[in-house]
Amino acid sequence: MRMLHPQLLADNVPLHAEQRLLILNSAADPFVQIAARQLSRGRIILAEDNVGALEQAYAVPARSQLQHIPFHEYTRETSPNTIDVAVMNLLYQPSKAWVYYGLEAARYALKPGGRLYVTGAKDRGILSIARRMRESFGNLETVEISKGWRVVAAEKTAETPLSAEPPAWPQREVFAGGELDEGTRLLLEALEVYVTDVALDLGCGAGYIGLHIAERARKGSVTLVDASLAAVALAQQRLQEKGLSNAQALPSDATSAVSGQRFSLIATNPPFHVWGVNTKAVGERFIRESARLLTPRRGRFYLVANRFLKYEPVLEECFEEVQEVGGNSRYKILRATSPLRPGRRSERADELTQLYKGWR
């Protein structure tokens, strides 16, 4: 996975011991640890959306200097003109909508004379974001160029244009206008829900899967989890609007928030883009953790994926039965049942390794 060496930020973002530093949805960046050592009498505000990144940031020894505000609530929960330095790494932003909100949040938060530093690679859009920064702040400086990466900075000055109201979280743009994507629609068509199911919507996003299940499992319950605090807030809002009292939405790094529970139904549409890279890592983690949470009898695990993503080997390692139960030319719906015990899972992994070797 592409990663910026933290020294590039450390060498180009000057900090003083008593400053207030705003980290814009980039809490996973190692720069947070470096900054914590420098700001001995200052404060680091983590405007962060991802609970996994947040846990990583709070692992630093100087965690008492850290304060967290959900990224999507930052401008609503804080006052303007309170921050000395703001930093954002494009690597951790899911889309341009997140970046644009981050730029406006920084312009709102910075004191006059405060500076925003943004770092990123050309293939992450740093050049177009730099142009946007110039438009927003009225100035721009290219601080460093190194191996395809850049650090650019803008200063809040008396000439920087300011909006009358704090910038609002662009919920519609972030969640694609609330439209149901094709993969999720196919999953819902194939999903078998019992009225008494105790279900988990893993990586719930805007909550379509969980809402669908909650409306059918009227004598059961549904828990929706996601690592994104903005997604959880939207899912909870939609549950309340639908009046679904048998469902709840929780922030969770994969299944960490429900690790002690058991479910008769787990469904997921796992992300396969993480920090700009195609990866099966999240989906494979979801599969392995779901196998530990699924009830042995009548438990069903459903997953939708693009056809080119080969989740079947990990599913076969973790479950006795794996079937394709729906889909089209672009997507497949996989159902797995009878989760294997950890010991048997290791044996199955060895068996599959030998089998696949025989095929080559």
mmCIF file of all heavy atoms in Angstrom, residues 116 127 129-131 133-134 137-142 152-155:
data_model
loop_
_atom_site.group_PDB
_atom_site.id
_atom_site.type_symbol
_atom_site.label_atom_id
_atom_site.label_comp_id
_atom_site.label_asym_id
_atom_site.label_seq_id
_atom_site.Cartn_x
_atom_site.Cartn_y
_atom_site.Cartn_z
ATOM 1 N N LEU A 116 -2.760 25.990 6.703
ATOM 2 C CA LEU A 116 -3.215 24.637 6.361
ATOM 3 C C LEU A 116 -2.163 23.977 5.490
ATOM 4 O O LEU A 116 -1.744 24.549 4.479
ATOM 5 C CB LEU A 116 -4.546 24.691 5.607
ATOM 6 C CG LEU A 116 -4.970 23.397 4.885
ATOM 7 C CD1 LEU A 116 -5.253 22.280 5.886
ATOM 8 C CD2 LEU A 116 -6.183 23.646 3.998
ATOM 9 N N LEU A 127 -2.684 18.113 -7.234
ATOM 10 C CA LEU A 127 -2.607 19.316 -8.060
ATOM 11 C C LEU A 127 -3.954 20.029 -8.129
ATOM 12 O O LEU A 127 -4.034 21.252 -8.004
ATOM 13 C CB LEU A 127 -2.100 18.960 -9.454
ATOM 14 C CG LEU A 127 -0.682 18.367 -9.512
ATOM 15 C CD1 LEU A 127 -0.282 18.074 -10.953
ATOM 16 C CD2 LEU A 127 0.328 19.299 -8.856
ATOM 17 N N ILE A 129 -6.382 19.717 -5.946
ATOM 18 C CA ILE A 129 -6.702 20.188 -4.593
ATOM 19 C C ILE A 129 -5.927 21.464 -4.282
ATOM 20 O O ILE A 129 -6.443 22.379 -3.622
ATOM 21 C CB ILE A 129 -6.395 19.091 -3.555
ATOM 22 C CG1 ILE A 129 -7.269 17.859 -3.799
ATOM 23 C CG2 ILE A 129 -6.597 19.622 -2.137
ATOM 24 C CD1 ILE A 129 -8.753 18.126 -3.853
ATOM 25 N N ALA A 130 -4.691 21.557 -4.770
ATOM 26 C CA ALA A 130 -3.908 22.776 -4.576
ATOM 27 C C ALA A 130 -4.598 23.968 -5.230
ATOM 28 O O ALA A 130 -4.645 25.071 -4.660
ATOM 29 C CB ALA A 130 -2.500 22.587 -5.135
ATOM 30 N N ARG A 131 -5.151 23.754 -6.430
ATOM 31 C CA ARG A 131 -5.893 24.847 -7.085
ATOM 32 C C ARG A 131 -7.112 25.244 -6.258
ATOM 33 O O ARG A 131 -7.436 26.433 -6.121
ATOM 34 C CB ARG A 131 -6.304 24.419 -8.495
ATOM 35 C CG ARG A 131 -5.137 24.306 -9.471
ATOM 36 C CD ARG A 131 -5.626 24.166 -10.893
ATOM 37 N NE ARG A 131 -6.269 22.882 -11.132
ATOM 38 C CZ ARG A 131 -5.631 21.787 -11.540
ATOM 39 N NH1 ARG A 131 -4.307 21.822 -11.739
ATOM 40 N NH2 ARG A 131 -6.278 20.664 -11.741
ATOM 41 N N MET A 133 -7.389 24.974 -3.025
ATOM 42 C CA MET A 133 -6.893 25.700 -1.853
ATOM 43 C C MET A 133 -6.622 27.166 -2.197
ATOM 44 O O MET A 133 -6.945 28.064 -1.415
ATOM 45 C CB MET A 133 -5.614 25.044 -1.332
ATOM 46 C CG MET A 133 -5.829 23.724 -0.631
ATOM 47 S SD MET A 133 -4.260 22.906 -0.217
ATOM 48 C CE MET A 133 -3.560 24.050 0.971
ATOM 49 N N ARG A 134 -6.018 27.414 -3.370
ATOM 50 C CA ARG A 134 -5.735 28.776 -3.777
ATOM 51 C C ARG A 134 -7.042 29.589 -3.895
ATOM 52 O O ARG A 134 -7.113 30.756 -3.484
ATOM 53 C CB ARG A 134 -4.979 28.798 -5.105
ATOM 54 C CG ARG A 134 -4.534 30.201 -5.531
ATOM 55 C CD ARG A 134 -3.916 30.192 -6.915
ATOM 56 N NE ARG A 134 -2.703 29.396 -6.970
ATOM 57 C CZ ARG A 134 -1.500 29.839 -6.621
ATOM 58 N NH1 ARG A 134 -1.363 31.093 -6.171
ATOM 59 N NH2 ARG A 134 -0.450 29.060 -6.717
ATOM 60 N N PHE A 137 -8.411 30.102 -0.131
ATOM 61 C CA PHE A 137 -7.628 30.942 0.781
ATOM 62 C C PHE A 137 -7.070 32.198 0.128
ATOM 63 O O PHE A 137 -6.622 33.110 0.817
ATOM 64 C CB PHE A 137 -6.475 30.119 1.377
ATOM 65 C CG PHE A 137 -6.890 29.139 2.428
ATOM 66 C CD1 PHE A 137 -7.412 27.905 2.080
ATOM 67 C CD2 PHE A 137 -6.775 29.446 3.774
ATOM 68 C CE1 PHE A 137 -7.803 26.987 3.049
ATOM 69 C CE2 PHE A 137 -7.160 28.541 4.755
ATOM 70 C CZ PHE A 137 -7.675 27.315 4.388
ATOM 71 N N GLY A 138 -7.030 32.214 -1.200
ATOM 72 C CA GLY A 138 -6.458 33.364 -1.893
ATOM 73 C C GLY A 138 -4.954 33.327 -2.005
ATOM 74 O O GLY A 138 -4.331 34.289 -2.480
ATOM 75 N N ASN A 139 -4.332 32.220 -1.601
ATOM 76 C CA ASN A 139 -2.881 32.084 -1.698
ATOM 77 C C ASN A 139 -2.507 30.611 -1.637
ATOM 78 O O ASN A 139 -3.320 29.772 -1.201
ATOM 79 C CB ASN A 139 -2.176 32.859 -0.577
ATOM 80 C CG ASN A 139 -2.543 32.331 0.808
ATOM 81 O OD1 ASN A 139 -1.960 31.386 1.320
ATOM 82 N ND2 ASN A 139 -3.559 32.955 1.416
ATOM 83 N N LEU A 140 -1.302 30.286 -2.060
ATOM 84 C CA LEU A 140 -0.826 28.896 -2.035
ATOM 85 C C LEU A 140 0.689 28.888 -2.121
ATOM 86 O O LEU A 140 1.288 29.674 -2.857
ATOM 87 C CB LEU A 140 -1.398 28.089 -3.204
ATOM 88 C CG LEU A 140 -1.019 26.602 -3.196
ATOM 89 C CD1 LEU A 140 -1.861 25.849 -2.175
ATOM 90 C CD2 LEU A 140 -1.183 25.982 -4.580
ATOM 91 N N GLU A 141 1.299 27.967 -1.383
ATOM 92 C CA GLU A 141 2.742 27.758 -1.444
ATOM 93 C C GLU A 141 3.010 26.266 -1.605
ATOM 94 O O GLU A 141 2.442 25.450 -0.882
ATOM 95 C CB GLU A 141 3.412 28.256 -0.160
ATOM 96 C CG GLU A 141 4.907 27.992 -0.106
ATOM 97 C CD GLU A 141 5.520 28.311 1.249
ATOM 98 O OE1 GLU A 141 4.790 28.810 2.128
ATOM 99 O OE2 GLU A 141 6.717 28.036 1.432
ATOM 100 N N THR A 142 3.858 25.921 -2.575
ATOM 101 C CA THR A 142 4.339 24.548 -2.684
ATOM 102 C C THR A 142 5.557 24.419 -1.785
ATOM 103 O O THR A 142 6.614 24.996 -2.057
ATOM 104 C CB THR A 142 4.692 24.187 -4.134
ATOM 105 O OG1 THR A 142 3.507 24.303 -4.936
ATOM 106 C CG2 THR A 142 5.216 22.751 -4.224
ATOM 107 N N VAL A 152 1.694 21.127 0.183
ATOM 108 C CA VAL A 152 1.298 22.487 -0.190
ATOM 109 C C VAL A 152 0.658 23.144 1.020
ATOM 110 O O VAL A 152 0.106 22.467 1.907
ATOM 111 C CB VAL A 152 0.325 22.483 -1.393
ATOM 112 C CG1 VAL A 152 1.024 21.954 -2.642
ATOM 113 C CG2 VAL A 152 -0.918 21.663 -1.103
ATOM 114 N N ALA A 153 0.734 24.460 1.067
ATOM 115 C CA ALA A 153 0.230 25.186 2.232
ATOM 116 C C ALA A 153 -0.506 26.442 1.797
ATOM 117 O O ALA A 153 -0.189 27.039 0.764
ATOM 118 C CB ALA A 153 1.378 25.545 3.173
ATOM 119 N N ALA A 154 -1.488 26.832 2.590
ATOM 120 C CA ALA A 154 -2.203 28.091 2.392
ATOM 121 C C ALA A 154 -2.375 28.754 3.749
ATOM 122 O O ALA A 154 -2.518 28.078 4.773
ATOM 123 C CB ALA A 154 -3.568 27.837 1.751
ATOM 124 N N GLU A 155 -2.354 30.082 3.746
ATOM 125 C CA GLU A 155 -2.461 30.842 4.987
ATOM 126 C C GLU A 155 -3.774 31.601 5.029
ATOM 127 O O GLU A 155 -4.226 32.151 4.021
ATOM 128 C CB GLU A 155 -1.303 31.827 5.097
ATOM 129 C CG GLU A 155 -1.302 32.640 6.377
ATOM 130 C CD GLU A 155 -0.095 33.537 6.502
ATOM 131 O OE1 GLU A 155 0.961 33.185 5.923
ATOM 132 O OE2 GLU A 155 -0.194 34.595 7.180
#
